Amino acid sequence: MADQSIPQARTPGTVPGETAAAPAGEGISRRRLLGTAGATGLVLGTAGAAVGHAAAPSEAAAPLTSLGTGRSMFHGKHQPGITDGLQARGHLVAFDLTAGTGRKEAAALLRRWSETARRLMAGEPSAQDDTGVARDAGPSSLTITFGFGHSFFARTGLEKQRPVALDPLPEFSSDRLDKNRSNGDLWVQIGANDALVAFHALRAIQKDAGRAARVRWQMNGFNRSPGATAHPMTARNLMGQIDGTRNPKPDEADFDRRIFVPETGEPAWMANGSYAVVRRIRMLLDDWEKLSVTAQENVIGRRKSDGAALSGGTETTAMDLEKTDAQGNLVVPINAHARITRPDQNGGAAMLRRPFSFHDGIDPDGTPDAGLLFICWQADPLRGFVPVQRKLDRGDALSQFVRHESSGLFAVPGGAAEGEYVGQRLLEG
């Protein structure tokens, strides 16, 4: 859980003049909404989220609220779901190709998935056998992102196209990995600001897999809903800590270099793509909550109330690593999580974190099965995730309160151009 900050999307409902929620029974159909939205759409933010308000003038219908009209674009330089703001609901699912599925069948699957993603992200029903689960809802900032695991390339005869950066992650002493919930041939990330919209997308993707692929594992997550706070702020995790203060930001000069594979990078099919490390990190909340607030803050190196460094200032004030108290002790402990994960303490290593929290019930002994679905993006995991995790493995104060239970590394190609599907340059190159 590196000490970095997620780019924040505008919090719906905080802009004067935004439409209030529609009264019960006055919603408009999903198809009609999208038919009229084009005339009023606005493009906002670095992620290119289109937000519009629409209503059929011939009907006494109120437009959807801003939460429903949030829209991300499927086609573009990069895939969606990387630089978009945090979403309220998420599903992560990995697939393995079935026996007899090769390159041709995999290409057909990615073509189906891409068309489904394009339609659903626009708020349209899927092309085949739409379940109607998300009927009357807008796009709700839905994003669907696709990636390839290490094993995909051998199964499709594309070993020569497998990136070196996709080599398996090293083992870490703190890992307690469940192999059945790790890795996979294909990976799909789904996020939306409405639970039914997210589930609708998950179900469509699973159905589209058909006989070509079967689900290997699935994980479900959540974040704070847009509009739940008075103003946008860095997210909190289930430990109650503000989590992600030092995330690289898209307006920083070196953001693309750190997060995305350059257009001249190797292999060529990964141009403008990124590598996603996915970790299910269980938080030992019973043990954590026994600590005093002061002890928790020393573990993290930041104040729990506002995320400011223990050395003083506000959340965004630079941490003073050398500051000491009256007794000569470092104010930010030497093993504090925020100190260890700083890029300047790891040779400049940086990654864009975009996680979801999870809670999968209570164990028989009463322990909550809860924590973080850690997702981080980088141009090269050997220069991003790996050096930071190695340092955490050697002496992070937080390590005794978390457990890494599953892991995956996936090559996520650049976005599909109009008329293309994701991964086309790999599968048809």
Side-chain angles (χ1 to χ4, degrees):
M1 296 184 295
D3 182 38
Q4 302 169 342
S5 175
I6 296 295
Q8 295 299 309
R10 177 180 58 80
T11 301
T14 60
V15 177
E18 275 196 333
T19 308
E26 292 190 0
I28 59 178
S29 73
R30 190 170 172 82
R31 187 182 299 275
R32 185 177 294 276
L33 166 75
L34 271 298
T36 58
T40 55
L42 302 175
V43 178
L44 303 176
T46 57
V51 179
H53 300 279
S58 61
E59 299 177 4
L64 294 174
T65 67
S66 59
L67 187 137
T69 56
R71 180 178 172 187
S72 295
M73 299 294 104
F74 174 73
H75 294 294
K77 183 177 181 179
H78 309 297
Q79 284 197 59
I82 301 176
T83 59
D84 301 74
L86 290 181
Q87 295 140 306
R89 301 291 178 183
H91 301 292
L92 309 180
V93 56
F95 293 82
D96 283 337
L97 299 178
T98 57
T101 296
R103 179 174 175 177
K104 178 180 178 181
E105 292 79 11
L109 172 58
L110 267 296
R111 189 179 296 111
R112 291 196 300 274
W113 273 353
S114 295
E115 175 61 10
T116 293
R118 182 195 67 78
R119 293 177 66 93
L120 297 187
M121 286 176 56
E124 302 172 8
S126 54
Q128 300 292 329
D129 301 321
D130 189 88
T131 63
V133 170
R135 185 177 299 155
D136 302 323
S140 300
S141 300
L142 173 68
T143 61
I144 305 176
T145 317
F146 303 102
F148 302 102
H150 183 276
S151 54
F152 175 84
F153 297 85
R155 293 178 185 271
T156 54
L158 292 166
E159 294 99 326
K160 292 182 179 180
Q161 291 297 320
R162 184 173 59 219
V164 174
L166 201 58
D167 285 351
L169 296 172
E171 294 183 1
F172 302 101
S173 64
S174 59
D175 285 352
R176 301 292 185 271
L177 304 183
D178 178 354
K179 292 183 178 180
N180 293 325
R181 291 196 294 181
S182 297
N183 300 312
D185 295 341
L186 293 161
W187 176 68
V188 185
Q189 174 191 253
I190 297 168
N193 282 332
D194 178 78
L196 284 179
V197 169
F199 175 80
H200 179 234
L202 173 66
R203 186 73 182 114
I205 290 295
Q206 290 174 331
K207 289 172 66 177
D208 276 352
R211 298 180 179 179
R214 59 177 178 80
V215 173
R216 178 180 178 86
W217 54 258
Q218 181 192 321
M219 301 175 190
N220 309 310
F222 59 90
N223 285 304
R224 176 172 277 159
S225 296
T229 56
H231 56 85
M233 61 182 294
T234 308
R236 289 188 185 271
N237 60 35
L238 299 189
M239 288 178 162
Q241 300 287 153
I242 288 180
D243 187 359
T245 298
R246 289 183 56 84
N247 235 356
K249 297 173 177 58
D251 58 0
E252 294 173 353
D254 61 351
F255 179 85
D256 280 2
R257 179 181 62 81
R258 292 182 171 193
I259 307 305
F260 294 110
V261 177
E263 292 187 359
T264 57
E266 293 292 338
W269 65 268
M270 272 296 290
N272 300 314
S274 189
Y275 291 90
V277 174
V278 182
R279 309 276 279 185
R280 186 184 194 269
I281 304 176
R282 184 161 176 170
M283 294 176 172
L284 308 181
L285 295 178
D286 286 344
D287 295 336
W288 175 255
E289 291 163 4
K290 292 175 183 176
L291 299 180
S292 67
V293 171
T294 298
Q296 291 177 355
E297 291 177 338
N298 284 330
V299 168
I300 301 299
R302 290 184 175 273
R303 293 200 299 257
K304 192 170 185 177
S305 60
D306 60 4
L310 296 184
S311 54
T314 66
E315 181 190 348
T316 57
T317 301
M319 182 178 291
D320 184 352
L321 298 181
E322 304 304 321
K323 186 174 182 178
T324 57
D325 59 20
Q327 289 73 43
N329 299 312
L330 289 170
V331 173
V332 180
I334 196 70
N335 61 349
H337 182 75
R339 175 190 285 270
I340 293 176
T341 58
R342 286 170 57 94
D344 57 9
Q345 301 296 300
N346 294 280
M351 48 195 166
L352 177 67
R353 299 176 60 259
R354 198 173 179 277
F356 293 94
S357 292
F358 73 87
H359 180 222
D360 292 336
I362 308 295
D363 287 350
D365 63 358
T367 303
D369 184 7
L372 195 70
L373 299 180
F374 176 91
I375 308 162
C376 71
W377 301 90
Q378 58 261 287
D380 183 352
L382 291 178
R383 293 186 288 112
F385 172 79
V386 171
V388 175
Q389 187 59 32
R390 276 179 172 155
K391 191 147 186 197
L392 291 171
D393 210 35
R394 291 196 295 265
D396 177 24
L398 185 60
S399 62
Q400 63 180 304
F401 300 102
V402 297
R403 183 187 302 147
H404 291 239
E405 296 185 334
S406 67
S407 178
L409 171 61
F410 302 95
V412 176
E418 294 279 351
E420 290 184 350
Y421 63 87
V422 173
Q424 183 168 335
R425 282 168 285 178
L426 167 65
L427 290 162
E428 297 186 17

